[in-house]
Amino acid sequence: MIFNVLTLLSLTALTSGKPVARSLELHESRDTIPSGFKLTGPAPADTTLDLRLALTSSDTDGLIQALYSKRLLNKAPQANQYLAPTQNSVAVVNEWLSGNGISATTISSAGNWLAVSVPVSLANEVLDANFSIFTHEGSGQQSIRTLSYSIPSELKGHLDLIHPTVSFASPIPKSPMRATKYNGTVQPKSAAQPSACQDDEVDPACLQALYGIPTTPATESSSYLVVTGYSQSPSPSDLELFYSNYGMSESANLTYSVIEIDGGDYDPSDPGDEADLDIQYTIGLATNVPVTFMSVGVDTSDGVFGFLDTANYFLNEDSPPSVITTSYGDNEDLFSASVQNNLCNAYAALGARGVSILFASGDAGVSGFVTGTSCTDFVPSFPSGCPYLTSVGATTGSSPETGASLSAGGFSNVFSRPSFQSSAVEAYLEYLGDTYSGLYNASGRGYPDVSAQGDNFLIAWGGEFYTIDGTSCSTPTVASVISLINDRLVAAGMSTLGWLNPFLYSTGLSAFTDITSGDNPGCNTNGFSATTGWDPITGVGTPVFSDLLTAVGL
Ligand SMILES: *[C@@H]1O[C@H](CO)[C@@H](O)[C@H](O)[C@H]1NC(C)=O
Ligand SMILES: *[C@@H]1O[C@H](CO)[C@@H](O)[C@H](O)[C@H]1NC(C)=O
Ligand SMILES: *[C@@H]1O[C@H](CO)[C@@H](O)[C@H](O)[C@H]1NC(C)=O
Ligand SMILES: *[C@@H]1O[C@H](CO)[C@@H](O)[C@H](O)[C@H]1NC(C)=O
């Protein structure tokens, strides 16, 4: 590959005498190295970079209009047509690449993403960049990034972004959760008592009681739920252990399917806490909904943990899942606005095809996704800022439920406030008054959208019981509720819910219990406070299954 590139380059130089001079224009840059990373030195000239190029989508406005009008539900190819670049963009970008001796591979079904492999020296020259080695301080992991790059001015409007360049993702820890060994007596809560979630640990039975989640098995095999896992696997034996102690009905289907991408290596002999949690609670709560675990490995050059690869994988499917739940993320300021917009548009396309995308809001209150962030200004979470996904916060206790202090929430610096949440968020901003003025972006999209229990979840992990906290607990809980609603919709011959947000803030509002106490401290403040109506800790509240059925017209 590299050999070919260099050969072509020298041929070009021979025939034309000298490379065509093009006027380069700065395309993306960041002023400073993000906190948590340090510059180690220049990247070796002959190191191969795996870069991706996003071509400008031909009609994102049309996609968003179609998403709002629910026109595209279940019509796969049409969603891709909006994301596809124009033929002219494809031609202009490919001409530029081949003129520099670079060959590209198309890596998304819509044709909007290309992959190239180039040596650092060529990338630095063609993009007027300075690719350097940056070291993540916490883990020592190194990555090659540049603080700026340029593209020929005639590519503006055709080439959306080159990535990973100015975005920095923290490495995903092997065990991202805070798990505590459980030393109590393992026995199921009484399903009859909603207060069952209150005193100590949370289990599926108490969540079923608290939110009215039925144990009636789902019937529609076409409507499935995907749990994504990054460098972690769940374990079927932990799942068996969990349910042998939790009295789940013998007829319940305790199996799940597995998909591997990006070198994902599903290895149940070395289970992860997050993966075990997600599988045990989706299988336990979404009774008989088919569950698929997507194992995403580290062989991704997508620069956002594999989120882009995951989205593109399902955009390419004839039958995408009805719900995807993801309990991973990072701080928003690590990622360029353009890559966030691009990923968000992929979620819009999935939403238009009937997929509900759920992400955990993060576990560090107003200080962001990851605990231990030092901050003065509040730190928004990624990808919760994207309005085309549903961000899930955490609650604790059950009479009444309150916002959990860890529940990340706030306002995006990248995405502006969408109209579907304007009255809900404006009411909160009015309540807030001048408090924290300047620490958060009052024009940004507010998150989370909804919440559920996220404290003291019991899991079986590595053959033993642990308790675990976080919006990682809340997200599969809400995902299970939505999956069961979708099952009923499909059984009634109706479409799955797809993108949830406009519904959550309008007809769906009555199907959530408003959580009005709790706060999410961080950055040396008490954080935001929950109150009547939407708030940036608990969103519009926690689900009530029977009211959701009514709200969707069942
Ligand atoms: C490029 O980055 C290296 C560090 O990786 C730095 O030493 C060098 O001064 C930079 N070059 C330019 C032209 O900015
Ligand atoms: C069980 O764990 C709790 C909290 O971690 C601790 O306070 C208690 O002493 C432990 N009990 C036993 C018997 O180890
Ligand atoms: C159990 O679930 C798996 C994975 O979702 C599915 O392939 C299988 O058909 C299910 N089995 C039954 C008996 O429903
Ligand atoms: C605030 O959010 C808007 C998007 O709503 C964004 O354009 C602006 O740059 C953000 N301000 C800061 C200081 O980040």
Side-chain angles (χ1 to χ4, degrees):
M1 183 70 169
I2 297 170
F3 178 77
N4 282 338
V5 166
L6 293 174
T7 311
L8 270 171
L9 189 71
S10 45
L11 279 178
T12 312
L14 271 179
T15 48
S16 63
K18 57 178 179 169
V20 187
R22 309 227 186 196
S23 73
L24 292 174
E25 227 177 274
L26 182 67
H27 196 58
E28 286 194 280
S29 63
R30 71 160 55 238
D31 299 336
T32 54
I33 301 166
S35 73
F37 292 84
K38 66 174 200 295
L39 176 64
T40 301
D46 58 355
T47 297
T48 302
L49 286 178
D50 291 319
L51 294 178
R52 296 171 179 218
L53 285 69
L55 307 187
T56 305
S57 292
S58 57
D59 193 9
T60 44
D61 289 349
L63 171 65
I64 302 311
Q65 275 168 25
L67 178 69
Y68 271 97
S69 67
K70 295 185 168 266
R71 263 203 322 274
L72 283 183
L73 284 174
N74 304 324
K75 299 210 182 78
Q78 291 176 23
N80 278 345
Q81 276 165 28
Y82 292 99
L83 291 178
T86 63
Q87 284 184 358
N88 187 30
S89 294
V90 174
V92 170
V93 171
N94 274 307
E95 190 198 342
W96 168 65
L97 288 173
S98 58
N100 286 291
I102 301 168
S103 59
T105 317
T106 304
I107 55 164
S108 64
S109 54
N112 57 330
W113 278 101
L114 307 179
V116 301
S117 292
V118 289
V120 164
S121 53
L122 183 59
N124 279 342
E125 180 194 323
V126 169
L127 301 174
D128 192 17
N130 187 7
F131 281 97
S132 302
I133 298 173
F134 294 89
T135 305
H136 178 253
E137 288 167 332
S139 63
Q141 191 165 304
Q142 296 191 327
S143 46
I144 296 181
R145 297 290 186 271
T146 178
L147 296 180
S148 70
Y149 70 93
S150 300
I151 62 171
S153 41
E154 65 268 28
L155 294 190
K156 295 268 176 179
H158 299 292
L159 180 55
D160 185 18
L161 70 128
I162 301 178
H163 180 72
T165 49
V166 298
S167 294
F168 291 69
S170 313
I172 286 187
K174 176 90 179 85
S175 290
M177 308 278 304
R178 286 168 285 180
T180 309
K181 196 79 151 285
Y182 181 67
N183 61 9
T185 310
V186 176
Q187 59 183 15
K189 303 283 187 170
S190 160
Q193 292 296 326
S195 62
C197 285
Q198 187 169 8
D199 299 329
D200 34 24
E201 69 284 350
V202 169
D203 68 11
C206 89
L207 293 169
Q208 282 161 338
L210 186 62
Y211 301 135
I213 305 169
T215 53
T216 324
T219 57
E220 304 306 308
S221 59
S222 66
S223 170
Y224 64 106
L225 188 167
V226 167
V227 168
T228 68
Y230 298 81
S231 308
Q232 271 210 6
S233 302
S235 150
S237 61
D238 285 341
L239 182 62
E240 292 277 347
L241 172 66
F242 191 69
Y243 284 107
S244 63
N245 285 276
Y246 277 89
M248 196 160 155
S249 110
E250 278 174 20
S251 61
N253 187 346
L254 286 190
T255 57
Y256 52 90
S257 317
V258 175
I259 303 172
E260 296 172 334
I261 63 166
D262 291 338
D265 181 16
Y266 171 67
D267 178 10
S269 71
D270 181 22
D273 48 4
E274 176 74 67
D276 267 346
L277 163 73
D278 291 353
I279 284 295
Q280 286 164 25
Y281 280 79
T282 49
I283 287 188
L285 292 172
T287 304
N288 268 25
V289 169
V291 173
T292 294
F293 180 76
M294 172 174 256
S295 169
V296 185
V298 292
D299 297 346
T300 174
S301 57
D302 85 347
V304 281
F305 313 113
F307 290 174
L308 272 168
D309 289 337
T310 303
N312 280 326
Y313 180 93
F314 289 115
L315 278 173
N316 198 25
E317 288 285 284
D318 290 334
S319 306
S322 79
V323 178
I324 303 175
T325 177
T326 302
S327 294
Y328 293 82
D330 212 328
N331 294 337
E332 185 182 68
D333 59 4
L334 295 174
F335 303 94
S336 76
S338 59
V339 80
Q340 294 193 50
N341 272 298
N342 196 291
L343 179 66
C344 193
N345 288 336
Y347 293 143
L350 282 168
R353 290 192 56 199
V355 187
S356 303
I357 313 279
L358 286 90
F359 269 89
S361 72
D363 291 349
V366 292
S367 69
F369 206 90
V370 191
T371 45
T373 308
S374 66
C375 43
T376 44
D377 293 357
F378 294 172
V379 182
S381 298
F382 164 84
S384 280
C386 168
Y388 309 126
L389 61 78
T390 298
S391 172
V392 185
T395 61
T396 184
S398 53
S399 55
E401 280 186 276
T402 61
S405 58
L406 59 81
S407 185
F411 302 86
S412 173
N413 280 323
V414 172
F415 297 93
S416 58
R417 180 162 63 242
S419 57
F420 62 74
Q421 65 170 200
S422 50
S423 64
V425 172
E426 278 159 21
Y428 188 81
L429 293 174
E430 195 161 312
Y431 157 83
L432 199 55
D434 290 339
T435 312
Y436 303 142
S437 172
L439 298 186
Y440 70 95
N441 191 331
S443 71
R445 178 249 202 287
Y447 68 93
D449 299 297
V450 294
S451 54
Q453 293 279 308
D455 203 12
N456 257 339
F457 272 47
L458 203 56
I459 61 163
W461 178 35
E464 296 182 287
F465 282 87
Y466 288 80
T467 57
I468 205 163
D469 302 331
T471 51
S472 289
C473 302
S474 321
T475 312
T477 301
V478 175
S480 300
V481 169
I482 300 301
S483 293
L484 289 171
I485 298 286
N486 279 333
D487 177 75
R488 306 277 181 105
L489 285 168
V490 173
M494 295 158 77
S495 299
T496 55
L497 289 171
W499 181 41
L500 296 170
N501 294 359
F503 165 75
L504 299 177
Y505 290 84
S506 58
T507 42
L509 205 51
S510 59
F512 288 81
T513 304
D514 188 11
I515 309 302
T516 58
S517 64
D519 40 41
N520 56 356
C523 306
N524 296 312
T525 72
N526 284 334
F528 295 114
S529 296
T531 186
T532 307
W534 178 88
D535 55 69
I537 310 171
T538 64
V540 299
T542 59
V544 181
F545 192 87
S546 57
D547 292 342
L548 269 170
L549 282 180
T550 308
V552 302
L554 288 173

